[in-house]
Amino acid sequence: MLLFFALCFVGVAIAGACAYIIFWPLSLVHLRDRHPEVRERLGEGAFLKPAAMLWLLGGGYRETRDPDFTGLATPARVALSTVIFGLAGAGILSLWSVALS
């Protein structure tokens, strides 16, 4: 039963990854078009760059004061949090099932 729930958490992580793949590139394009100074600070390859992901998770995107950008970045932040939560939950449950057997 624990491994089934672990698999469910993997499914949640996959759903979060799909949402991240949709919203984060849209956010980066918005930054490129309207906020080049923030885009320069994030650097090239910000899609999977750990510093940019931490900036997103920390809510640093709110400093732009652009409601269009925060409307794109907030779902990306929730999606990235969902990926982390899903993978952590799957890992914990799988370790728990190993420990019980």
Side-chain angles (χ1 to χ4, degrees), residues 2 5 7 9 19 28 46 54 62 77-78 85-88 90 97:
L2 286 175
F5 286 124
L7 186 61
F9 273 110
L28 292 174
L54 286 174
R62 292 187 196 123
R77 179 185 186 192
V78 171
F85 172 74
L87 291 178
S97 72

Side-chain angles (χ1 to χ4, degrees), residues 27-72:
S27 302
L28 292 174
V29 168
H30 187 86
L31 282 180
R32 183 194 67 202
D33 294 343
R34 298 194 183 163
H35 304 284
E37 67 282 351
V38 178
R39 178 75 169 114
E40 281 292 320
R41 194 170 32 158
L42 292 178
E44 287 298 317
F47 181 71
L48 289 176
K49 187 183 265 186
M53 294 168 100
L54 286 174
W55 178 79
L56 177 66
L57 282 174
Y61 62 89
R62 292 187 196 123
E63 70 189 24
T64 60
R65 302 283 184 213
D66 181 0
D68 294 331
F69 175 64
T70 57
L72 289 170

